[in-house]
């Protein structure tokens, strides 16, 4: 093992290797005969797709979770979700602390790459806080859900507790796996279930650095970092805009919001706006939504949630930074200033690179999937963005995709979870530093 770590000198390479190993282990476990309800092996492709979807906290499925998998299979999925949400390197660092009581420099670098910690000296505390905070949030959500399932739906305490824990883990880690064939559509008008899961999704998707800063100085907004301000502002705007757009669009749709009461429509619209943060739950039938609602959902899934959290997508911080870059360019300013801070050029390049790489990957994947399947462009684009953004929402075509298409979605989920830049740097043999500068020449843009 040390020899392997010596070869993987870049922390991103270890992160990719760790996630890949978790997917392989999950595939092997889910391929076991007793992982399915029928007692027959699910097959390597179904096991691989489900394991990748769980580790990458996506939620896309090719089989019905509750009817296809046994209790053992469901537990494996829940564990893979937890591992993927916290991060392989975060768990590895935690185990190192518990066993040895110390962290070496290399382990700190690996944990920093996964948790996005800004100071290596704080990695041990960050890992501890991430795990404790995650378990606390999941426990709170599990308690509320367990009580609701037991008192409101007649489930036995044991079954209600099992459902509560599974869906709390799935929600906080933005996975979207559910143990009902219709996902959460039966709870569309239940605020206890919908708001609890939505709250877990939002908190898990904000990003741990933002959450920890809010816990430390929630009374002093003037001391919030640029990351926290951008994340909270863009998140609030997207949730509000998404709720209004989806509720207004689907208000009279007889297959979605039409039959519901006014308050239930608003609740369902809000829930539908929260889930594209990469959670994957749905209280409405996505396949019955209008194409205009799919477009809104596409945009929300592409943006995703906060950095260093359990959400996917290009991240709300990336979207916010690009908005400020465009605004500065439109005003003719040579520097990008946000509040009383100047945005480094390196952050601007990273944001542009991430978005361009993501859009290119989505375009190529959409074309490929269109060639491989008979489905329309809007449905295929929805599926591709959902996989890349690790959202887990679907218009119902996931199971109908060809084996080659399933492999493509697996690659998209893996890439979307780790990020194009992380994956690219992990594959690079070494970092290259240019030791000279070339003469500058202006180029016409546009």
């Amino acid at each position: 093992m040390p020899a392997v770590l010596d070869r993987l000198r870049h922390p991103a390479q270890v992160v990719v290797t760790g996630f890949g190993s978790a997917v392989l282990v999950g595939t092997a476990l889910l391929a076991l005969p007793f992982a399915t309800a029928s007692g027959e092996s699910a097959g390597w492709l179904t096991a691989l797709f489900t394991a990748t979807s769980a580790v990458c906290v996506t939620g896309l499925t090719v089989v019905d979770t509750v009817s296809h998998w046994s209790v053992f299979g469901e537990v494996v999925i829940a564990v893979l979700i937890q591992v993927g949400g916290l991060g392989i390197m975060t768990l590895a660092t935690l185990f190192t602390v518990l066993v040895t009581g110390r962290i070496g420099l290399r382990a700190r670098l690996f944990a920093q790459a996964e948790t996005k910690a800004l100071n290596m000296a704080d990695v041990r505390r960050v890992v501890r806080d991430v795990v404790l905070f995650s378990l606390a949030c999941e426990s709170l959500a599990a308690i509320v859900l367990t009580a609701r399932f037991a008192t409101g739906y007649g489930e036995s305490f044991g079954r209600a507790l099992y459902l509560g824990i599974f869906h709390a883990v799935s929600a906080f880690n933005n996975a979207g796996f559910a143990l009902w064939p219709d996902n959460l559509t039966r709870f569309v008008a239940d605020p206890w279930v919908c708001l609890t899961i939505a709250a877990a999704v939002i908190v898990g998707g904000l990003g741990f650095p933002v959450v920890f800063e809010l816990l430390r100085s929630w009374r002093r907004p003037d001391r919030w970092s640029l990351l926290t301000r951008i994340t909270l502002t863009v998140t609030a705007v997207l949730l509000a805009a998404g709720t209004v757009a989806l509720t207004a669009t689907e208000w009279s749709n007889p297959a979605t919001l039409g039959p519901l009461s006014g308050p239930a429509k608003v609740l369902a619209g809000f829930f539908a706006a929260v889930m594209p943060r990469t959670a994957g739950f749905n209280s409405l039938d996505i396949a019955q939504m209008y194409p205009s609602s799919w477009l809104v959902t596409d945009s929300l899934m592409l943006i995703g949630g906060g950095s260093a959290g359990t959400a996917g997508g290009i991240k709300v911080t990336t979207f916010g930074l690009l908005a400020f870059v465009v605004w500065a360019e439109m005003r003719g300013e040579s520097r990008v200033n946000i509040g009383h801070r100047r945005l480094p050029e390196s952050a601007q390049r990273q944001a542009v690179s991430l978005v361009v790489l993501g859009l290119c990957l989505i375009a190529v994947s959409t074309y490929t999937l269109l060639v491989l399947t008979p489905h329309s462009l809007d449905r295929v684009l929805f599926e591709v963005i959902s996989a890349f953004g690790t959202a887990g929402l679907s218009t119902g075509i996931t199971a109908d995709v060809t084996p080659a298409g399933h492999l493509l979605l697996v690659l998209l989920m893996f890439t979307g979870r780790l990020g194009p830049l992380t994956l690219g740097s992990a594959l690079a043999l070494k970092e290259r530093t240019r030791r000279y500068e070339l003469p500058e020449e202006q180029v016409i843009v546009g």
Side-chain angles (χ1 to χ4, degrees):
M1 186 65 179
V4 175
L5 292 179
D6 287 338
R7 293 182 180 181
L8 303 177
R9 297 187 180 279
H10 197 291
Q13 291 179 309
V14 180
V15 173
V16 173
T17 303
F19 271 90
S21 300
V23 169
L24 293 179
V25 171
T27 300
L29 292 175
L30 291 177
L32 296 174
F34 50 85
T36 64
S38 64
E40 299 179 358
S41 176
W44 73 270
L45 184 55
T46 299
L48 173 65
F49 191 98
T50 305
T52 304
S53 183
V55 172
C56 298
V57 290
T58 304
L60 286 176
T61 58
V62 292
V63 293
D64 179 47
T65 302
V66 65
S67 63
H68 184 83
W69 302 108
S70 64
V71 174
F72 172 80
E74 293 172 359
V75 171
V76 169
I77 291 173
V79 172
L80 293 177
I81 291 171
Q82 187 74 82
V83 170
L86 290 177
I88 298 296
M89 290 302 101
T90 305
L91 292 177
T93 306
L94 174 65
F95 294 151
T96 302
V97 174
L98 293 178
V99 173
T100 67
R102 58 192 296 182
I103 303 179
L105 178 60
R106 172 161 296 193
R108 292 190 180 203
L109 284 171
F110 295 159
Q112 184 184 25
E114 173 58 27
T115 62
K116 305 297 189 299
L118 299 179
N119 188 343
M120 281 199 308
D122 295 333
V123 169
R124 182 187 304 193
R125 177 178 54 81
V126 168
V127 171
R128 180 199 63 199
D129 291 346
V130 164
V131 174
L132 293 179
F133 180 76
S134 299
L135 294 178
C137 290
E138 291 171 356
S139 299
L140 181 59
I143 291 173
V144 176
L145 293 175
T146 299
R148 184 56 179 166
F149 294 147
T151 60
Y153 296 93
E155 299 285 356
S156 65
F157 176 76
R159 178 63 179 173
L161 180 62
Y162 177 73
L163 292 173
I165 293 176
F166 185 95
H167 291 89
V169 171
S170 185
F172 180 78
N173 291 288
N174 281 221
F177 281 87
L179 296 182
W180 290 279
D182 57 355
N183 205 277
L184 298 181
T185 56
R186 63 186 62 193
F187 305 112
V188 63
D190 189 334
W192 285 100
V193 174
C194 290
L195 292 181
T196 299
I197 288 181
V201 168
I202 293 173
V203 174
L206 280 178
F208 295 118
V210 173
V211 171
F212 292 158
E213 185 171 359
L214 290 177
L215 292 176
R216 289 194 305 267
S217 56
W218 62 275
R219 293 183 177 180
R220 298 297 303 272
D222 56 309
R223 295 185 177 180
W224 291 352
S225 66
L226 196 58
L227 171 65
T228 298
R229 294 181 182 183
I230 293 177
T231 300
L232 293 180
T233 301
V234 177
T235 296
V237 171
L238 292 177
L239 288 178
T243 300
V244 172
L246 292 173
T247 304
T249 304
E250 298 292 325
W251 188 271
S252 301
N253 187 342
T256 55
L257 295 183
L260 303 177
S261 64
K265 289 181 179 181
V266 176
L267 174 64
F270 172 73
F271 193 82
V274 172
M275 293 308 114
R277 292 179 57 81
T278 76
F281 292 107
N282 62 281
S283 62
L284 299 174
D285 188 352
I286 303 295
Q288 300 300 321
M289 284 184 169
Y290 294 131
S292 52
S293 296
W294 291 346
L295 180 59
V296 173
T297 306
D298 284 341
S299 303
L300 295 175
M301 290 191 299
L302 178 62
I303 297 172
S307 299
T310 55
I314 64 171
K315 311 297 185 183
V316 295
T317 47
T318 304
F319 179 76
L321 292 181
L322 287 181
F324 280 106
V325 170
V326 172
W327 178 245
E329 189 65 27
M330 292 176 63
R331 298 180 63 181
E333 298 179 353
S334 58
R335 297 288 186 270
V336 179
N337 300 316
I338 305 176
H340 300 289
R341 295 289 186 271
R342 178 171 59 87
L343 185 65
E345 293 184 0
S346 59
Q348 300 175 41
R349 293 195 302 269
Q350 291 171 6
V352 172
S353 300
L354 179 60
V355 173
V356 171
L357 285 174
L359 292 178
C360 289
L361 182 60
I362 289 173
V364 173
S365 301
T366 300
Y367 169 81
T368 304
L369 205 57
L370 281 172
V371 173
L372 296 174
T373 66
H375 300 292
S376 60
L377 173 61
D378 51 2
R379 291 180 181 271
V380 169
L381 179 62
F382 192 101
E383 198 81 7
V384 168
I385 295 179
S386 180
F388 173 77
T390 67
L393 298 173
S394 176
T395 59
I397 68 172
T398 309
D400 298 331
V401 175
T402 62
H406 286 153
L407 290 177
L408 175 62
L409 293 177
V410 166
L411 178 62
L412 281 172
M413 289 188 289
F414 193 81
T415 305
R417 176 64 179 102
L418 300 180
L421 292 182
T422 302
L423 185 60
S425 61
L427 297 176
L429 295 177
K430 62 179 180 179
E431 295 181 354
R432 297 176 176 85
T433 302
R434 187 181 294 274
R435 301 183 182 276
Y436 58 89
E437 292 291 341
L438 297 174
E440 184 179 277
E441 180 179 347
Q442 292 292 338
V443 178
I444 298 176
V445 179

